[in-house]
Amino acid sequence: MTQEEYNRISEIAQTQYGFDIGNWDTVRDTENDNLLVKLDWNVNYDHRVALTYNRTEGNNLRGVSGSQNSLNLDTNWYDYQQNMDLFRLSWFADWSGDLSSEIYASHKAVEAISGLVTKDFGDVSVRTESGTLNFGPDSNRHANQLENDNFKIGARFDYLVGDHEIEFGGEYDSVDVYNVFVRNSLGSWSYESIDDFEAGTADEFFYENAYTNNATDAAANFELGMLNLYVQDNWYLNDTMELGLGVRYETYMVDDKPTLNENFVDRYGYSNQENLDGKGIFLPRVDFKWFATDDMVVRAGFGRFSGGRPNVWISNSFSNDGYTLVQFDRDQVSEDQYLENQNPAQIPQAVLDSMEAGDGDTNSIDPNYDIPSDWIARVGVDYRFDIPSVGDNFQATAEVTRKWMTDNSQWIDISRCVADETAAGINIYEPCDPTAPSGHYDLQLTNEDKTGKAWLLTTSLSKAWDSGFNAYAAYTFQDIEEGNPGTSSTATSNYQYNIVRDRNQALLGTADYQVEHSLKIALGYSTEFVSGYASKFNLFFNRRSGTAFSYTMGMYNDGDFGDQPYFQGGGSYLPYIPTGADDPAFSPESPLSYEEAMAYFRDAGLEQYAGGFAPKGTGRSPWVTNLDFQFQQEVPGFAEDHKGIFYITVNNLLNLIDSSKGEVLRQQYTNQSVVDFAGLDDQGRYMYAESFFGYNDWSIFEAEESTWRLKLGVKYTF
């Protein structure tokens, strides 16, 4: 983005539309205040009561530019503020030498707010010859507020009987959710050029709201409860063997339901009111430990695990019931009424007048949805050994873990039916109901029909010498294959930005978060230059491979696969790699010839997949190397048994030594467009064009992580 382009767009906004687009170099303060109070009352020798209060208030700035190809102004940023109050009361009791318990209750209130610079105009994107300028509130922050009130009550018991230690208990966890999330409620406009922005001719416009045009009327307000019960038998078989057998049961308890949408019922023959009430899951597990020798312990385990609750995904079905939250019908409002001669500070009146209850886009939950879970098997060894002339008591560990990810969550659009297929066999969709509003979608949370898998290997070696030296080294290997990562809080993002060949079909591939190789080394030395006051030197080294991403086709307003306008972008489709210029799935009408397209594919290492599609997750961000140093010095305190600690920490010492070292580069998102999708010809053959933004194996330079940082601190203990 050039200064001249910015100046021209800013002047047009001021003189023609009457608003200030903002700046890119604004400095904002971030704060993090934390208050923790703990009170313990020893009622008597066998009973103790503990009260904890925790208050946190913090904010951080989000949405700041991080791409080479676009610039976000401060009016597009948002100040994410989160406040939390937590009370917890626990009663610990020893009823006998064999029975102990903890009974507890807690209340946690969390408020999350997206603070905006202005709400005087909507989200605006203007393409220029240099890139894209984004200003105005981000479309996902137009109406965005979340409040959770969480109440827990539970009990844990530990009972010793013979060679068995029995652990059992349960917990009821209830959360009241108030969630206002109405994207595009201020309007979102995109312009193909500065001239179009000046002429008031938008290329795209999105608006959704409660049918009353008051975003708070579309708030989700519901209570979600979960009950879990567990029992675990730790059986000490003999002096060298321990066996753990346990089972846990979790079930949802939800009385509230999304507003019934009669149009949904008419289209699909069932209700949109699924809320997971009564959905449950059994989680068995077994653990084994064998003290094989005085120096070696063998560990193993197998079990089923399910963590966390998808509260926000459930909330989506309340917020997006399609009755209260609706979109304007593009079949009833002509394009000239919302794309031509429009001011981004005003929602077109024809659009406001067209808002009616009852047939908006929906998010729903599959009535047959199963709670996702992981089956995990692991085997590990801890070994202590000596090395003559080097030292005794070296500690080595190794563990292998195998994971099967079953019933992984997936989002599909049940409003789309297969109409045709591409020459490469990929489905092309059309609306199942041709009478539905133009661009209508019904996204549903369901389960993938494929099982993700993972191999994890961890090893470590550590040693402390009497001289004060200590050393630690660890290596981790990951091979993770999964489907939809479900990293977003919204159904639309989890659907639109998942890497696919076909958006309604699950596809496994290398996980975006996989770090294939990671090596960590820590070296330390502790001494007392002054008797009684320790001096500690520590060096931390880490080298890890880059995370995975996928080479995809760039897309912009491309509807050839049957996607609605809202999903005709994002670059999530994997490209077909042709075998030659005469490949029956590659069009001779392609703007890029076979040789030109293959030059890009070869550069990305995709030529080996000719005759098929590029797999998910073949790209890698650059390796990351980091070295940190810390020095600590104890000093006398102001009273007996008091000490002070002065410390110096240098993060990214490599960058301090050599400014070209220690850089952290990564992909901003999980995709990188290697070519642009130029559509399908009349025979369903693929056409490609040069990527609009170009491509590389990284798009983000992490400025803070890539530069050396010095931290000085003082700690006082008594």
Side-chain angles (χ1 to χ4, degrees):
M1 178 64 57
T2 67
Q3 183 71 47
E4 291 74 18
E5 290 170 335
Y6 165 80
N7 290 342
R8 185 183 171 198
I9 294 172
S10 178
E11 182 180 0
I12 293 170
Q14 286 275 16
T15 60
Q16 187 163 325
Y17 301 121
F19 59 79
D20 182 1
I21 65 174
N23 300 298
W24 68 85
D25 55 356
T26 305
V27 177
R28 300 280 177 80
D29 293 331
T30 59
E31 298 181 0
N32 189 4
D33 298 324
N34 189 11
L35 172 64
L36 177 64
V37 178
K38 297 185 70 175
L39 300 175
D40 283 336
W41 177 29
N42 293 314
V43 181
N44 55 41
Y45 184 78
D46 296 320
H47 296 269
R48 178 171 64 91
V49 176
L51 175 65
T52 301
Y53 172 69
N54 187 199
R55 168 72 175 176
T56 63
E57 295 180 353
N59 74 299
N60 61 78
L61 198 60
R62 299 185 178 182
V64 180
S65 299
S67 170
Q68 306 174 79
N69 309 309
S70 63
L71 177 64
N72 300 341
L73 302 184
D74 59 2
T75 54
N76 193 245
W77 308 344
Y78 62 97
D79 186 10
Y80 183 72
Q81 306 163 34
Q82 190 168 56
N83 306 318
M84 183 197 74
D85 282 289
L86 170 67
F87 293 89
R88 182 182 174 95
L89 180 65
S90 298
W91 171 27
F92 300 91
D94 293 323
W95 302 100
S96 69
D98 297 325
L99 179 63
S100 62
S101 67
E102 178 192 1
I103 299 174
Y104 60 91
S106 69
H107 177 263
K108 181 172 69 172
V110 179
E111 179 185 39
I113 302 172
S114 298
L116 303 176
V117 172
T118 180
K119 284 192 173 184
D120 292 339
F121 55 100
D123 188 349
V124 183
S125 297
V126 181
R127 280 197 174 193
T128 72
E129 293 183 1
S130 304
T132 302
L133 186 67
N134 302 310
F135 51 92
D138 176 83
S139 61
N140 289 308
R141 306 294 151 184
H142 288 184
N144 193 319
Q145 180 178 354
L146 176 65
E147 297 177 11
N148 287 341
D149 274 304
N150 180 231
F151 174 73
K152 291 183 181 180
I153 184 168
R156 303 187 183 102
F157 295 88
D158 193 300
Y159 181 53
L160 300 176
V161 52
D163 295 327
H164 299 263
E165 179 185 6
I166 310 297
E167 299 176 11
F168 60 96
E171 178 183 84
Y172 176 71
D173 185 351
S174 173
V175 58
D176 284 313
V177 178
Y178 176 77
N179 185 20
V180 181
F181 179 62
V182 184
R183 58 161 64 90
N184 300 308
S185 60
L186 299 175
S188 296
W189 287 262
S190 63
Y191 299 86
E192 282 287 86
S193 67
I194 300 178
D195 290 340
D196 286 347
F197 179 58
E198 185 172 30
T201 303
D203 181 62
E204 285 185 324
F205 170 72
F206 294 100
Y207 177 73
E208 55 188 294
N209 211 333
Y211 63 86
T212 60
N213 290 308
N214 183 350
T216 57
D217 291 339
N221 197 347
F222 65 97
E223 181 180 357
L224 174 67
M226 173 173 277
L227 176 68
N228 69 70
L229 304 169
Y230 73 92
V231 61
Q232 172 89 13
D233 180 6
N234 299 312
W235 185 6
Y236 300 93
L237 300 171
N238 53 46
D239 292 340
T240 62
M241 294 184 182
E242 300 175 9
L243 178 66
L245 301 170
V247 65
R248 181 183 182 93
Y249 177 71
E250 299 178 351
T251 184
Y252 284 91
M253 305 172 70
V254 189
D255 292 329
D256 297 321
K257 294 182 178 181
T259 302
L260 180 65
N261 186 317
E262 294 289 356
N263 287 308
F264 186 99
V265 176
D266 292 342
R267 286 191 179 108
Y268 307 114
Y270 59 90
S271 168
N272 66 305
Q273 294 184 299
E274 174 60 45
N275 60 0
L276 299 187
D277 182 46
K279 297 282 186 181
I281 186 171
F282 281 97
L283 304 169
R285 60 196 64 175
V286 57
D287 294 289
F288 178 74
K289 182 181 288 187
W290 175 36
F291 295 87
T293 69
D294 290 340
D295 296 320
M296 185 170 69
V297 179
V298 179
R299 300 170 281 105
F302 180 71
R304 189 184 193 189
F305 300 85
S306 179
R309 296 180 304 181
N311 293 347
V312 70
W313 296 345
I314 300 170
S315 177
N316 289 335
S317 62
F318 285 85
S319 301
N320 299 273
D321 53 40
Y323 180 84
T324 307
L325 179 62
V326 296
Q327 300 74 32
F328 75 97
D329 190 343
R330 296 170 186 267
D331 291 334
Q332 296 183 14
V333 183
S334 61
E335 285 193 353
D336 63 292
Q337 292 180 290
Y338 59 84
L339 293 182
E340 298 180 10
N341 300 315
Q342 299 298 326
N343 185 341
Q346 299 173 356
I347 304 298
Q349 191 61 45
V351 170
L352 295 175
D353 294 341
S354 72
M355 301 290 280
E356 296 180 357
D359 206 8
D361 302 328
T362 68
N363 293 172
S364 64
I365 302 173
D366 185 346
N368 298 313
Y369 181 75
D370 292 320
I371 308 302
S373 63
D374 295 339
W375 288 95
I376 299 176
R378 58 178 178 81
V379 177
V381 177
D382 301 325
Y383 183 56
R384 184 179 61 196
F385 62 96
D386 304 332
I387 301 178
S389 302
V390 178
D392 299 334
N393 294 322
F394 282 82
Q395 303 289 334
T397 67
E399 183 171 281
V400 177
T401 301
R402 179 63 163 167
K403 181 188 292 188
W404 297 266
M405 293 166 270
T406 60
D407 298 320
N408 188 50
S409 293
Q410 177 188 13
W411 288 259
I412 62 173
D413 187 354
I414 60 175
S415 75
R416 316 306 279 178
C417 288
V418 176
D420 202 346
E421 65 178 29
T422 71
I426 300 301
N427 290 329
I428 299 173
Y429 291 91
E430 66 181 5
C432 298
D433 181 1
T435 67
S438 177
H440 180 86
Y441 60 81
D442 293 310
L443 300 186
Q444 187 166 93
L445 172 62
T446 185
N447 300 108
E448 292 181 340
D449 57 2
K450 300 179 185 295
T451 297
K453 301 177 180 65
W455 281 105
L456 307 174
L457 169 65
T458 60
T459 61
S460 69
L461 178 65
S462 61
K463 165 65 181 165
W465 285 268
D466 294 338
S467 61
F469 285 98
N470 62 83
Y472 171 83
Y475 169 76
T476 301
F477 168 80
Q478 296 181 345
D479 181 5
I480 306 172
E481 183 182 68
E482 71 170 7
N484 194 315
T487 53
S488 175
S489 61
T490 67
T492 49
S493 291
N494 285 326
Y495 174 76
Q496 180 177 7
Y497 298 114
N498 183 38
I499 305 302
V500 295
R501 299 175 188 171
D502 180 328
R503 280 198 166 122
N504 269 4
Q505 294 185 2
L507 178 67
L508 299 182
T510 302
D512 307 324
Y513 54 85
Q514 173 187 291
V515 177
E516 187 173 6
H517 303 284
S518 176
L519 175 64
K520 296 179 181 179
I521 298 175
L523 302 175
Y525 176 65
S526 179
T527 189
E528 292 183 0
F529 294 118
V530 178
S531 179
Y533 299 98
S535 302
K536 298 180 180 180
F537 302 82
N538 292 288
L539 202 60
F540 307 94
F541 173 81
N542 176 222
R543 179 163 170 78
R544 65 182 188 273
S545 53
T547 53
F549 63 89
S550 298
Y551 288 110
T552 63
M553 300 183 293
M555 299 187 72
Y556 183 74
N557 290 346
D558 296 313
D560 285 24
F561 295 120
D563 291 316
Q564 302 90 325
Y566 194 87
F567 302 121
Q568 292 177 5
S572 298
Y573 283 99
L574 294 164
Y576 175 81
I577 313 299
T579 57
D582 58 350
D583 189 307
F586 181 73
S587 175
E589 302 171 20
S590 173
L592 282 181
S593 68
Y594 166 75
E595 290 77 12
E596 292 170 329
M598 287 306 297
Y600 289 108
F601 293 144
R602 288 191 190 96
D603 197 50
L606 302 178
E607 72 278 5
Q608 59 187 302
Y609 308 111
F613 289 85
K616 177 181 177 181
T618 58
R620 294 291 184 276
S621 296
W623 281 67
V624 176
T625 304
N626 188 61
L627 183 66
D628 298 332
F629 170 78
Q630 185 181 74
F631 169 71
Q632 292 186 13
Q633 177 63 59
E634 292 182 347
V635 296
F638 298 109
E640 188 177 356
D641 297 327
H642 290 207
K643 282 186 178 181
I645 299 176
F646 169 74
Y647 64 88
I648 301 174
T649 301
V650 181
N651 295 116
N652 203 347
L653 181 62
L654 291 176
N655 185 255
L656 176 61
I657 298 172
D658 184 343
S659 60
S660 66
K661 304 297 183 181
E663 291 185 341
V664 179
L665 310 171
R666 65 173 180 86
Q667 280 291 342
Q668 182 179 16
Y669 302 112
T670 60
N671 63 314
Q672 173 61 67
S673 299
V674 61
V675 294
D676 273 1
F677 179 59
L680 301 171
D681 66 13
D682 57 7
Q683 297 182 42
R685 296 175 294 186
Y686 287 75
M687 297 188 293
Y688 299 128
E690 289 189 5
S691 176
F692 182 80
F693 294 118
Y695 82 97
N696 205 330
D697 61 355
W698 64 274
S699 61
I700 296 296
F701 171 76
E702 295 285 5
E704 183 174 342
E705 293 183 51
S706 300
T707 52
W708 67 271
R709 302 175 302 284
L710 179 66
K711 182 179 180 181
L712 306 177
V714 176
K715 182 179 179 181
Y716 193 79
T717 62
F718 57 93

